[in-house]
Amino acid sequence: MELNGKAAIVTGASRGIGEYVAKELARAGVSVAIAARTTEVKDKRLPGTIHSVAQEIRDAGGKAEAVYMDIRDPESIAAGVARTVEAFGRLDIVVNNAAILVPGTIESIQPRHIDLIWQVDLRGPIILMKEALPHLRKAGGGHIINVSSRAGVFPGPGPYAEPRKGGAFYGMIKSGLERFTQGAAMEFQEDGIAVNVLSPQGRIKTPGNVFAQNDPENPNLDFEPADYMAKGVRWICEQPATFTGHILFDEDLCREKGL
């Protein structure tokens, strides 16, 4: 798919993976909605806002719009999609990147945290796909990319050489997102809408990833870039809609395609 002139929504784009993806798509000529909740920096460990990222893209000659979106709120998601289409006149690409990781085991986790991870990491992406679908159809097709994690890979049967506690909730949600992705890929195939998963090969030390370990008063702001994820998203979006239903890892993809 030729990307110049297309329009995209990237969630969780005020920093981290989403920011890198948004900037890479903008370099390819895509008009990008920088979708997230952060409108001002309230914690030094989490630099960046929807406005700062959008401005950086515009300063570099690209097109971007800051779009407030609370991925837990279906009405906010719908409003964000409407704002994007109002700003750009179309919608061709959706990148579901926003997510949270709730630590703990089944004994320690609070019920409200179970609701939180489900609402942000699975329900939100599904609702965004639903809201975007009519606009993707109107555009003649497009791409949906759901960002997952190696946590979504089933650990297989035990006993385990290195048993560990925690992580089961995040893995459960991400594996559910991957299963829904392939189901949606089957549903949307006749509409020319490709639906794929892209995951980081390993840990990327983004602001969100290291938040809990970072010093709130004197944070380390030497974060890792998410270049492989950004290049991988761009490559996927350049493919025809027949490239659908794949579960991919960023470093493997970039190595295989020479990105």
Side-chain angles (χ1 to χ4, degrees):
M1 184 172 82
E2 171 58 46
L3 296 186
N4 189 45
K6 303 298 186 183
I9 293 176
V10 182
T11 66
S14 55
R15 64 184 69 88
I17 291 173
E19 176 185 355
Y20 276 79
V21 167
K23 289 178 176 178
E24 183 68 24
L25 290 177
R27 282 191 287 270
V30 178
S31 299
V32 187
I34 309 302
R37 291 187 307 159
T38 306
T39 58
E40 59 180 306
V41 176
K42 296 181 179 180
D43 190 313
K44 291 183 287 186
R45 292 172 291 181
L46 298 172
T49 71
I50 57 175
H51 302 294
S52 65
V53 174
Q55 190 60 53
E56 286 181 46
I57 289 174
R58 290 193 290 265
D59 289 345
K63 296 180 180 179
E65 188 78 16
V67 174
Y68 177 85
M69 185 181 292
D70 181 351
I71 207 70
R72 293 184 70 187
D73 181 356
E75 291 185 2
S76 180
I77 295 171
V81 171
R83 177 74 188 99
T84 301
V85 174
E86 178 187 14
F88 302 138
R90 60 186 298 138
L91 180 59
D92 307 271
I93 298 166
V94 173
V95 181
N96 270 311
N97 166 70
I100 60 160
L101 190 158
V102 175
T105 67
I106 193 169
E107 292 177 296
S108 66
I109 198 168
Q110 300 298 312
R112 61 188 176 89
H113 291 147
I114 297 174
D115 289 340
L116 178 64
I117 193 171
W118 141 249
Q119 290 167 1
V120 173
D121 292 13
L122 187 54
R123 188 186 70 174
I126 291 172
I127 293 174
L128 178 52
M129 292 168 68
K130 177 181 175 65
E131 293 292 340
L133 189 56
H135 302 288
L136 295 172
R137 283 199 183 109
K138 186 176 180 180
H143 285 271
I144 297 171
I145 299 175
N146 293 324
V147 174
S148 187
S149 164
R150 290 199 68 85
V153 178
F154 279 45
Y160 303 101
E162 298 180 1
R164 63 186 181 90
K165 294 183 178 182
F169 294 99
Y170 191 66
M172 171 189 69
I173 292 293
K174 287 301 188 182
S175 62
L177 180 64
E178 293 182 6
R179 176 62 183 86
F180 187 81
T181 295
Q182 291 188 322
M186 295 178 69
E187 286 188 31
F188 303 163
Q189 180 172 301
E190 293 181 353
D191 296 307
I193 300 169
V195 193
N196 292 287
V197 165
L198 183 65
S199 297
Q201 197 85 26
R203 182 182 186 186
I204 304 174
K205 294 181 180 178
T206 61
N209 183 273
V210 301
F211 175 77
Q213 294 83 41
N214 220 342
D215 183 345
E217 298 304 321
N218 187 30
N220 178 2
L221 301 181
D222 186 21
F223 304 115
E224 290 182 349
D227 292 327
Y228 289 125
M229 285 296 293
K231 292 176 182 178
V233 167
R234 176 172 175 171
W235 184 88
I236 293 169
C237 291
E238 290 172 339
Q239 305 313 301
T242 50
F243 187 86
T244 192
H246 295 267
I247 296 176
L248 306 166
F249 292 91
D250 64 343
E251 292 181 33
D252 285 346
L253 178 63
C254 288
R255 188 182 308 111
E256 178 185 337
K257 303 302 177 182
L259 304 178

